[in-house]
Amino acid sequence: MSGPERIGLRLGRCRTCHARFVPVAGPCPRCASTETDTWVASGLGKVLAATELEVPPPGWDRPHPLALVEIEDGVRLLVIPDRPLPAPGALVEVREDGPCYRAGAPGRARDERGEGDAPGVGTVRPPFEPPR
Ligand SMILES: [Zn+2]
């Protein structure tokens, strides 16, 4: 693959109330207007929360990283973050990846210090029985 490409992030935009939203298709989730079009956002945003699912849905890797990101346009997205798991407040760039959204350091590769300051990332947890 070549370097990171800035193609932006597609959002739906309501021409009635100006809300922006995902998924792109469908009526406005705020006012139900069908007068919508597509808006290309930068995809830059801030991590609100991040975690790893120890019991993800069937077919997902375990542990499965998950983050809630609010992008510049005020839209909040659940994304699969790059590792190490980003801290709340971290700036990320959200990109589409098929049916998923992923997020990583904006624009360029992250400075890798190798200081081991990302607790929990990369550790292997023993298998356990999910709670009944
Ligand atoms: Zn609307």
Side-chain angles (χ1 to χ4, degrees), residues 91-113:
L91 296 178
V92 292
E93 183 171 4
V94 177
R95 61 193 185 276
E96 290 182 71
D97 182 16
C100 300
Y101 293 102
R102 294 184 183 273
R108 54 188 159 74
R110 188 183 304 235
D111 180 26
E112 293 185 7
R113 292 167 190 250

Side-chain angles (χ1 to χ4, degrees), residues 14-19 21 28-33:
C14 178
R15 286 187 292 198
T16 302
C17 76
H18 308 291
F21 52 87
C28 173
R30 183 194 286 168
C31 74
S33 171

